Amino acid sequence: MMYGLKNVSLTEFGFVPGIQDKSNLALSGFLNMPSRLGKTFHDWAGEAGIEPYVSADEIFFGGRDLMLSGFIQGIDRDDCESKRRGLIALIDGFTDLVPLESKWGTFDVLVSGQIKAEFLHKTLLKLEIPFREPQPDLSGVLPAGSSSEFGIDGISFKDLGGYLLELSGDRRTRPTPKAGQFTAYGKEGYQITNPGVSELEIKLFIKQPTYSEFKKKIQSLYKLFASPGLRNLTAHNDKLRSFFVKDGFVVDTIYSRSDCFIGMVTCKLTEAGTPGNMQSLLDDLGYLVTDSDGNTIKIKL
């Protein structure tokens, strides 16, 4: 079964898989890491930055959106319409989550929005079906740390599955100051406030021989970013940064090829400040520290 809903193959309705933007797959969103639920940090007005909520009993995740794109093929317009109505009738009969079956896995979903259909030809109807997966499986195994010079928590980007293509955001900019609280009559008031939170974004290119291996690397990122505490990032020409992930990540530019499976992970990092003493740096990264100018400093205890 290429694609199915509740054990019914969509080929019964003349469904032919299409492709998503920046992909050669018909399904998107199924590898994304969802955002966290609830309050993820506290902003103390009188202090710089934020207080992250990263203990085990504070970390919960929501669901994720999937989209299936394809076509309904028929012998003529009436046949296409009949098959479309049959598919809609199947979906209208769902009273709970149903399994969306695919080559890429099985996901318990509900139809979450408008099903779009338009004729491209009298024998071909373009179709888009949006799904919501409320409780995705975010299990994974964390790779062993290798005290790598560049990576996350001492795990090299290579061991995480790929290459760091880009680190952007507030790398060298001072965050916007927090809003002031003041009153003034007949003149402009002001208050000097501390800077707010720094937001970064990383782009990781992941390439693996098979989809199974690719999925394992994505699952290791689930495990890494969902772990209690702060993560530590070391990148070329950048300082050591402590961060947490509250908005999950997106996996796109996905291509399945005969010899490999590739994709791009885009993840927002919320910086929580650098540990305040040298011992904590040594505990996290062994003997390797990177200063603000990108110089590598080797320290031996």
Side-chain angles (χ1 to χ4, degrees):
M1 183 183 296
M2 186 170 293
Y3 288 97
L5 283 172
K6 201 176 180 181
N7 300 316
V8 178
S9 174
L10 297 188
T11 57
E12 293 188 18
F13 307 100
F15 182 80
V16 178
I19 57 173
Q20 296 280 345
D21 291 339
K22 298 192 294 184
S23 175
N24 67 349
L25 278 60
L27 188 64
S28 67
F30 62 96
L31 290 169
N32 292 349
M33 183 176 187
S35 299
R36 282 178 52 183
L37 291 174
K39 189 172 182 179
T40 59
F41 65 89
H42 185 77
D43 188 351
W44 297 97
E47 299 182 8
I50 58 174
E51 177 190 355
Y53 290 170
V54 291
S55 63
D57 58 357
E58 295 170 327
I59 300 176
F60 306 97
F61 292 92
R64 58 188 171 193
D65 294 315
L66 286 66
M67 179 69 76
L68 179 62
S69 296
F71 308 91
I72 289 179
Q73 282 188 331
I75 58 175
D76 55 27
R77 183 178 291 268
D78 288 341
D79 188 38
C80 287
E81 284 284 24
S82 176
K83 290 175 177 176
R84 181 190 65 82
R85 288 193 297 268
L87 177 57
I88 297 302
L90 173 69
I91 292 171
D92 286 346
F94 298 155
T95 58
D96 202 346
L97 299 180
V98 298
L100 168 62
E101 298 150 292
S102 74
K103 180 180 179 180
W104 319 114
T106 298
F107 314 96
D108 291 330
V109 300
L110 55 91
V111 175
S112 58
Q114 184 182 63
I115 298 177
K116 297 181 179 179
E118 64 173 313
F119 274 103
L120 300 181
H121 185 267
K122 64 181 181 180
T123 62
L124 194 64
L125 190 65
K126 183 180 179 181
L127 196 69
E128 290 185 341
I129 309 176
F131 296 101
R132 181 73 174 175
E133 186 184 13
Q135 299 173 349
D137 179 7
L138 300 179
S139 61
V141 178
L142 199 62
S146 56
S147 298
S148 173
E149 182 176 0
F150 300 122
I152 299 174
D153 284 2
I155 305 170
S156 70
F157 294 117
K158 181 179 179 181
D159 287 338
L160 289 172
Y163 310 90
L164 177 64
L165 292 186
E166 183 179 330
L167 173 61
S168 60
D170 298 325
R171 290 184 68 181
R172 297 177 177 87
T173 58
R174 183 178 187 265
T176 302
K178 297 183 179 183
Q181 297 180 353
F182 55 85
T183 58
Y185 178 75
K187 60 181 179 181
E188 180 175 308
Y190 66 90
Q191 179 186 2
I192 305 301
T193 60
N194 286 310
V197 64
S198 294
E199 297 281 359
L200 304 170
E201 184 177 272
I202 58 172
K203 290 184 181 294
L204 300 174
F205 174 74
I206 297 181
K207 178 181 179 180
Q208 294 296 310
T210 65
Y211 170 67
S212 177
E213 292 299 313
F214 184 92
K215 183 180 178 181
K216 287 180 182 178
K217 296 300 183 182
I218 297 298
Q219 289 175 318
S220 71
L221 291 176
Y222 295 160
K223 181 68 173 180
L224 179 64
F225 293 149
S227 297
L230 298 174
R231 311 276 69 79
N232 287 311
L233 171 71
T234 51
H236 184 63
N237 289 331
D238 200 67
K239 66 178 183 179
L240 174 72
R241 297 179 184 271
S242 294
F243 71 91
F244 69 108
V245 174
K246 60 183 177 62
D247 299 317
F249 57 71
V250 172
V251 186
D252 60 14
T253 318
I254 299 174
Y255 290 90
S256 176
R257 297 175 176 168
S258 59
D259 60 340
C260 65
F261 196 98
I262 63 175
M264 184 84 70
V265 175
T266 302
C267 183
K268 292 183 179 179
L269 314 180
T270 302
E271 194 166 7
T274 302
N277 59 74
M278 187 62 70
Q279 183 60 51
S280 64
L281 298 184
L282 295 170
D283 289 343
D284 288 330
L285 294 174
Y287 63 92
L288 192 62
V289 178
T290 304
D291 69 10
S292 59
D293 296 321
N295 300 309
T296 298
I297 304 171
K298 293 186 176 181
I299 299 174
K300 294 183 178 179
L301 294 178

